[in-house]
Amino acid sequence: MSGRSHDQVSDPTPPSDPSKPSIPISYPIQTLEDLDSRTYFTSFHYPFNKSSVPLRPNSGLAQRPRILVCHDMQGGYVDDKWVQGGDNSGAYAIWHWYLIDAFVYFSHYLVTLPPPCWTNTAHRHGVKVLGTFSTEGDEGTTVCNKLLSTKESAHKYAERLAELAVALGFDGWLLNMEVNLDISQIPNLKEFVSHLTQTMHSSVPGSLVIWYDSITIDGTISYQNQLNEQNKPFFDICDGIFANYWWEEDYPKLSAKVAGERKFDVYMGIDVFGRGTYGGGQWNTNIALDAIKKGDVSAAIYAPGWVYETKQPPDFQTAQNRWWGLVEKSWGIDQNYPKSLPFYSNFDQGHGNHISVDGTQVLSTQWNNISLQTFQPFLEYDDDSASKTIEVHVDFKEASYSGGGNLTFRGTLEAKATFSTRLFLGQLLMGSLPLHFIYSVKSEGNSRVGLYLEFSSEMEGKKKLFLASQGTNRFLSELVEVIVPHQLTTPDNAPGWIIQEVSVAMHGYTLTEIHAVCYNEQPGNTNAAEYFAMLGHIKISTSDKNTEFPPSTSWIVDGQDVEWGGSQGSKTLSLKISWKLKDGKSPPYPRYNIYVEKLTKQSIRIPGRKAEGVREYTGVAHIETFYVSQLAIPSGTSSLKFIIQVCDVDGGSQKLDDAPFFQLNV
């Protein structure tokens, strides 16, 4: 990409022998030879790099101006390269998916494969994910000479790229060809672009191939910064063009004219670092967005990690929310959810300082893993936070009910006042079955938090419901209907959490909005009071029953690549654990928590009692395989029991005593 280079701080090169077992990582393919020989598929790391969350059915691109986000940060493959998660709670993440239509993972290597954590989370939010094929410099010229030597060669490499996208579960490619070509190579370049587009479309419905505005039809690098006759022949044979960033105010309109009916397939580039970008990027990125919107084309936001890389004050969370808040103000919202059931959010952003399962803390160290993001709340960022009586933010310090975060409401509230904030903007059509809303709350003093729901129907208009526990008489005049939730029993080891459940029957209506409402339970006095409450999770489903997981006897669990290490008295163990259902069906579960129990000879010998050691949370898998690396084994341990806790899409998790396991003698 023009005008953009990075300090290569990460080292995404594959391990010296990728076929040997080691901690699973994501890495690019760096040579045409490696792409051609398909060695990636024999790597130990390959199965770990498959995304496990498919894109929702019918996730076609909307006929409206769209936002494509191109993530280019420090050479790529930084904290996100650790497929099973890393230990940096300050790792970069994006959580404003409701403002994005497509996401490109970019780096300056030949074939950039998106780490599965990005694909998993983007897909969950309805966003398409593309890898990058990039040729730059002298090396890029050598690659192109081979790639474009014959029509057959152009087709072969296009098929290799399509095969990778299908195998790893992402949705297409950005083509970043930045080398001067001989005009005689252009017919085969067009063959490459066209064959890749057709092959992707036939193997992944809804996939995209986007051309970057660099080479013109005569083979020279000449950034047009718009769609015109110089680059349109490439646009005509793929799904869109990413126009370089040095455009002027009228270029979006001119490009729309050239594109005709396909004007939304023109993505005008904005470099957030600001080099040569209309409006200057950075905190003025919205100036370019406004101009693009006026021109009625789409936008390509390049390197939004600027906020993180340049350490914008006061801290990353605040700066990131403020920056994306400007994008929303300019552009509006691109994705709605809930759209389908079950719907589940624990407000997790994929990083934190602890992890909880059903209210019990299972990990108390720093971690990051973007795959663990659930549906993100549409929190509105307000520059004038002083005018707000209550601050709302995703919090990682307070105890969570599930995962590593929760939604915290903190401030002061007048006795009879309420404070409302948007959580989700949905498009959920209600069927004949009632909906069950289950949510967890923790609060101090008289602070209470309820849910405000808005429904709409073409026949009946709008209907508003307020789900709140105590002290709700005063809301009856304001809202159409107040429903008092039923309190469910909370697990003993989830202190302070209250779980509320409500059933709502609204056949034919569409659920369009979910807000949180803060209020005080006993507005007897008239003074403002300190307010503190947390939402731990929200689940919406058509069943009030918990998931019935297959018992441990339904699974085959296997351990491979077992390697013992360590010196006298301090053993370590590395191994790969895999599991599958005995009936051969593909398990429909999105996640598995992995625990280890270290059993001693003493714990096994107690007659009449089940052998039990301390269960340690080891990590999480999103596929049916997990690699345990250099697990420390205390002396006196006689056997290890690895427990695989199956988790459902609605946040439910199997009881550990019923979960499949793998036992190994030490």
Side-chain angles (χ1 to χ4, degrees):
M1 293 244 166
S2 59
R4 180 103 173 92
S5 66
H6 282 285
D7 304 324
Q8 300 282 2
V9 297
S10 65
D11 178 21
T13 48
S16 52
D17 183 354
S19 65
K20 285 229 171 83
S22 63
I23 297 175
I25 61 164
S26 291
Y27 58 88
I29 294 173
Q30 302 198 43
T31 67
L32 213 49
E33 291 67 38
D34 282 348
L35 177 62
D36 188 17
S37 64
R38 304 171 73 245
T39 52
Y40 183 82
F41 295 108
T42 58
S43 158
F44 175 79
H45 303 264
Y46 158 59
F48 293 93
N49 276 281
K50 295 178 180 183
S51 76
S52 56
V53 181
L55 203 53
R56 286 194 297 253
N58 313 321
S59 291
L61 284 176
Q63 282 307 304
R64 54 159 171 75
R66 310 172 195 127
I67 286 189
L68 174 148
V69 166
C70 189
H71 173 58
D72 176 16
M73 198 169 97
Q74 299 169 337
Y77 305 97
V78 193
D79 290 297
D80 52 10
K81 78 175 174 185
W82 304 109
V83 178
Q84 294 182 165
D87 56 11
N88 172 19
S89 67
Y92 179 76
I94 285 175
W95 52 87
H96 295 79
W97 295 104
Y98 51 91
L99 304 174
I100 303 172
D101 292 283
F103 174 85
V104 178
Y105 194 80
F106 185 91
S107 75
H108 294 273
Y109 296 95
L110 180 68
V111 180
T112 302
L113 301 167
C117 61
W118 288 107
T119 309
N120 287 340
T121 293
H123 279 182
R124 195 171 288 128
H125 290 88
V127 175
K128 294 178 193 289
V129 176
L130 312 185
T132 307
F133 181 77
S134 183
T135 58
E136 298 170 311
D138 294 345
E139 219 172 289
T141 302
T142 309
V143 164
C144 284
N145 289 341
K146 192 170 179 183
L147 172 78
L148 306 174
S149 57
T150 62
K151 178 179 165 179
E152 291 69 31
S153 165
H155 281 203
K156 175 178 75 172
Y157 290 112
E159 284 162 18
R160 292 285 187 270
L161 290 177
E163 177 187 39
L164 281 162
V166 171
L168 298 179
F170 60 93
D171 311 293
W173 295 95
L174 172 70
L175 300 178
N176 180 53
M177 318 279 283
E178 293 194 83
V179 290
N180 288 307
L181 298 176
D182 194 271
I183 197 157
S184 64
Q185 292 173 300
I186 294 298
N188 284 344
L189 175 60
K190 286 168 80 175
E191 282 292 336
F192 173 68
V193 177
S194 151
H195 192 65
L196 176 59
T197 306
Q198 288 163 22
T199 311
M200 280 304 310
H201 287 185
S202 62
S203 47
V204 181
S207 55
L208 299 175
V209 173
I210 307 266
W211 175 259
Y212 180 61
D213 156 37
S214 48
I215 300 175
T216 56
I217 201 62
D218 61 5
T220 54
I221 295 180
S222 176
Y223 305 104
Q224 302 299 299
N225 308 299
Q226 61 183 306
L227 177 67
N228 61 21
E229 295 313 315
Q230 292 294 303
N231 52 30
K232 187 170 180 285
F234 301 110
F235 172 78
D236 289 341
I237 53 176
C238 69
D239 299 302
I241 188 168
F242 182 143
N244 189 52
Y245 335 105
W246 307 328
W247 45 270
E248 291 167 26
E249 193 173 357
D250 58 341
Y251 285 19
K253 207 164 269 173
L254 294 171
S255 300
K257 208 171 178 180
V258 175
E261 282 181 2
R262 288 188 59 204
K263 61 185 177 180
F264 303 136
D265 296 340
V266 176
Y267 298 85
M268 302 300 292
I270 306 169
D271 181 0
V272 181
F273 276 75
R275 287 151 294 202
T277 280
Y278 180 79
Q282 303 184 8
W283 291 108
N284 293 319
T285 297
N286 51 313
I287 293 174
L289 284 170
D290 291 344
I292 293 169
K293 196 145 201 196
K294 203 170 149 195
D296 207 26
V297 290
S298 294
I301 297 175
Y302 181 67
W306 168 81
V307 174
Y308 183 89
E309 287 188 70
T310 57
K311 297 185 169 61
Q312 290 298 305
D315 57 73
F316 175 52
Q317 277 286 324
T318 310
Q320 169 100 320
N321 287 335
R322 183 183 156 214
W323 189 87
W324 283 99
L326 294 171
V327 173
E328 182 185 336
K329 218 170 182 175
S330 165
W331 202 264
I333 280 169
D334 282 3
Q335 302 285 350
N336 290 73
Y337 43 84
K339 250 185 180 164
S340 58
L341 293 176
F343 175 78
Y344 174 78
S345 177
N346 60 7
F347 314 109
D348 202 322
Q349 288 179 356
H351 57 91
N353 304 302
H354 60 260
I355 287 178
S356 295
V357 176
D358 296 331
T360 304
Q361 194 163 302
V362 295
L363 181 77
S364 54
T365 54
Q366 288 195 28
W367 64 277
N368 64 276
N369 186 342
I370 294 170
S371 277
L372 282 173
Q373 269 194 23
T374 56
F375 283 103
Q376 291 299 300
F378 296 63
L379 294 180
E380 289 175 275
Y381 182 82
D382 188 356
D383 249 344
D384 181 22
S385 56
S387 68
K388 279 192 172 178
T389 55
I390 289 181
E391 281 287 313
V392 186
H393 63 280
V394 175
D395 182 274
F396 312 98
K397 295 186 181 76
E398 299 286 349
S400 50
Y401 180 78
S402 162
N406 61 64
L407 205 53
T408 293
F409 308 84
R410 192 192 291 273
T412 54
L413 200 57
E414 297 289 334
K416 292 195 177 177
T418 59
F419 170 85
S420 173
T421 190
R422 170 183 89 185
L423 295 186
F424 300 106
L425 298 178
Q427 278 179 345
L428 182 65
L429 182 63
M430 311 276 283
S432 53
L433 292 170
L435 283 196
H436 297 275
F437 285 79
I438 294 178
Y439 56 102
S440 53
V441 179
K442 200 175 193 179
S443 61
E444 287 178 4
N446 292 326
S447 306
R448 295 290 175 264
V449 61
L451 297 182
Y452 164 79
L453 313 176
E454 203 163 285
F455 299 85
S456 73
S457 145
E458 281 183 25
M459 307 282 286
E460 308 289 335
K462 283 193 174 177
K463 188 160 184 188
K464 300 166 185 180
L465 297 182
F466 185 39
L467 319 181
S469 47
Q470 308 97 332
T472 51
N473 295 346
R474 60 203 165 100
F475 300 114
L476 289 167
S477 56
E478 299 169 33
L479 299 159
V480 176
E481 197 178 335
V482 175
I483 303 181
V484 177
H486 162 64
Q487 203 164 306
L488 297 180
T489 49
T490 311
D492 296 339
N493 40 13
W497 288 103
I498 292 170
I499 300 174
Q500 311 276 17
E501 187 202 20
V502 170
S503 291
V504 175
M506 298 285 290
H507 187 205
Y509 279 84
T510 298
L511 173 61
T512 54
E513 296 186 27
I514 303 176
H515 296 250
V517 178
C518 301
Y519 64 98
N520 287 316
E521 187 194 337
Q522 297 165 320
N525 58 16
T526 50
N527 302 333
E530 289 287 312
Y531 183 94
F532 177 79
M534 296 188 294
L535 269 179
H537 80 291
I538 292 179
K539 166 183 160 181
I540 311 172
S541 65
T542 50
S543 168
D544 59 351
K545 307 245 182 321
N546 289 332
T547 307
E548 279 198 26
F549 293 100
S552 63
T553 50
S554 307
W555 298 85
I556 299 168
V557 189
D558 188 23
Q560 297 159 313
D561 302 316
V562 176
E563 196 181 315
W564 300 96
S567 54
Q568 195 68 40
S570 64
K571 265 188 178 171
T572 62
L573 167 70
S574 299
L575 85 159
K576 182 172 100 172
I577 306 168
S578 303
W579 52 94
K580 60 183 180 189
L581 287 168
K582 285 179 181 171
D583 61 14
K585 285 184 183 161
S586 178
Y589 303 107
R591 202 177 82 244
Y592 305 89
N593 294 326
I594 314 298
Y595 298 80
V596 64
E597 226 172 77
K598 298 170 182 174
L599 301 167
T600 61
K601 292 183 176 67
Q602 286 80 3
S603 64
I604 289 166
R605 284 197 187 128
I606 300 166
R609 266 185 60 198
K610 209 167 56 170
E612 210 169 279
V614 177
R615 287 170 179 164
E616 294 171 26
Y617 176 85
T618 308
V620 64
H622 291 86
I623 52 167
E624 284 71 54
T625 301
F626 185 79
Y627 187 70
V628 176
S629 175
Q630 297 190 329
L631 177 74
I633 301 163
S635 60
T637 306
S638 59
S639 79
L640 298 165
K641 183 179 178 183
F642 294 96
I643 303 168
I644 297 127
Q645 184 180 38
V646 187
C647 304
D648 206 359
V649 283
D650 64 1
S653 48
Q654 188 171 25
K655 285 192 169 66
L656 289 180
D657 289 342
D658 304 335
F661 62 89
F662 176 71
Q663 197 143 348
L664 189 68
N665 289 328
V666 175

